[in-house]
Amino acid sequence: MKKYVTTGKMRFYIFKFALRLTAFGIMIVLYTKDKEEFYRYTVTPVTEKFNFMHFMWIIFMCLMISHIFPTKIISMGAGKIKKSNFIPVSGYSENELLKFVHNENKKAWKSMIVWLIGNAVIGLLYFLKVIGKPELLLIVGFYFISDYVCILIFCPFQTFGQKDRCCVNCRIYDWGHFFMFTPMLFIKSFYSWTLFFMGAVVIIHWEYIWTKYPERFWYGSNQILSCANCKDKTCTIKKDVTKEVKKILRLP
């Protein structure tokens, strides 16, 4: 079995992935025991009883705020929005940067359309009463762990859509929370709507920085994003998995 050299950042992300798997496991247990009670548990006002879901809501909100104001512990995939993380490549081409922006925008909005169509189907199933609110919450939980699957193991958006070099260079890196909480739009509660709209704030902020400072997002203009300067190295396992998937599907 191949041994991978892991960085502190990668070990931290693996640890967080384990925590996410544990949280999703708790959700499944609660759902299996009594799905209606599971739903009521998630929307119980904090004034009545503080529970695990309130704790998760606080964690989610803090995570999203940290993506708007990134700290040193956050991945460079999100941290590249900061001015302090921009080290210009000497003599980079403005024309090449414009081409990069144009191509990345086309791929990004195709990814958004695919995502919205997929979740529109989920919304339709909900309104047709094929699935209910407990199932919507489980889907959010599945998205919750899928976010880290995309970072550490395999990302369909990267492989089939964006085709970026890695998460650090990903054009849509900070769309994750908006994607994760999309099903929350169909659940009318303070907790669900605040999570969804906070995710929307994160993506709007990301798009604002992308539009105003695109040079921070391209390895051809920002030295920080080059493989040689990468300190995250969270893509090491994913690279091999992606190669195998492409080989199976006979993709270039």
Side-chain angles (χ1 to χ4, degrees):
M1 184 176 179
K2 182 176 179 179
K3 291 185 178 180
Y4 294 95
V5 177
T6 59
T7 62
K9 184 75 70 177
M10 186 175 179
R11 288 191 292 271
F12 181 51
Y13 269 60
I14 291 172
F15 172 69
K16 290 199 293 182
F17 183 39
L19 290 180
R20 290 190 179 213
L21 286 170
T22 301
F24 186 51
I26 292 172
M27 291 179 71
I28 292 175
V29 170
L30 293 173
Y31 175 85
T32 304
K33 289 179 68 175
D34 186 335
K35 66 179 183 179
E36 295 305 324
E37 183 61 29
F38 162 65
Y39 171 70
R40 286 193 292 273
Y41 183 73
T42 62
V43 295
T44 300
V46 70
T47 52
E48 290 185 18
K49 185 180 180 181
F50 185 85
N51 62 39
F52 173 74
M53 289 303 182
H54 297 133
F55 174 72
M56 290 303 297
W57 180 87
I58 293 170
I59 294 296
F60 286 139
M61 295 299 284
C62 289
L63 280 172
M64 286 188 277
I65 291 171
S66 75
H67 278 246
I68 297 175
F69 307 102
T71 61
K72 290 183 179 180
I73 65 170
I74 207 164
S75 165
M76 188 52 63
K80 59 178 176 272
I81 65 172
K82 292 178 65 176
K83 182 180 180 180
S84 59
N85 287 329
F86 175 58
I87 301 177
V89 171
S90 179
Y92 71 85
S93 169
E94 289 285 350
N95 287 333
E96 289 300 315
L97 176 60
L98 289 174
K99 288 180 183 178
F100 166 77
V101 170
H102 178 67
N103 290 332
E104 290 296 301
N105 281 341
K106 286 197 299 184
K107 291 184 292 183
W109 294 110
K110 284 179 182 178
S111 294
M112 176 62 82
I113 290 169
V114 169
W115 183 259
L116 292 178
I117 289 173
N119 282 272
V121 172
I122 291 173
L124 180 61
L125 292 175
Y126 170 68
F127 287 116
L128 292 176
K129 301 188 184 304
V130 176
I131 61 174
K133 293 176 180 177
E135 287 73 31
L136 287 176
L137 290 172
L138 277 188
I139 291 170
V140 172
F142 175 73
Y143 288 167
F144 179 50
I145 59 171
S146 296
D147 186 36
Y148 270 52
V149 170
C150 286
I151 292 172
L152 295 169
I153 303 172
F154 176 74
C155 179
F157 290 101
Q158 179 183 335
T159 303
F160 305 116
Q162 295 304 120
K163 300 182 180 179
D164 293 308
R165 292 163 53 143
C166 60
C167 282
V168 168
N169 283 273
C170 182
R171 156 74 175 88
I172 63 172
Y173 188 92
D174 242 357
W175 289 16
H177 290 103
F178 176 79
F179 279 6
M180 188 190 309
F181 297 122
T182 303
M184 289 294 203
L185 185 60
F186 304 117
I187 301 175
K188 187 178 180 180
S189 83
F190 169 80
Y191 303 108
S192 59
W193 280 7
T194 49
L195 288 172
F196 173 79
F197 286 112
M198 191 61 187
V201 169
V202 172
I203 196 174
I204 290 169
H205 176 260
W206 176 267
E207 290 304 305
Y208 169 75
I209 301 295
W210 160 264
T211 302
K212 192 169 183 179
Y213 307 106
E215 64 276 5
R216 299 180 187 177
F217 294 74
W218 181 40
Y219 65 88
S221 53
N222 189 357
Q223 294 183 43
I224 288 289
L225 304 182
S226 69
C227 293
N229 293 324
C230 180
K231 296 180 181 179
D232 290 3
K233 304 295 184 185
T234 55
C235 64
T236 52
I237 297 173
K238 185 167 67 175
K239 279 184 177 179
D240 285 345
V241 174
T242 302
K243 284 179 183 177
E244 290 302 314
V245 170
K246 285 184 175 181
K247 189 184 300 182
I248 293 169
L249 298 178
R250 297 183 179 179
L251 296 174

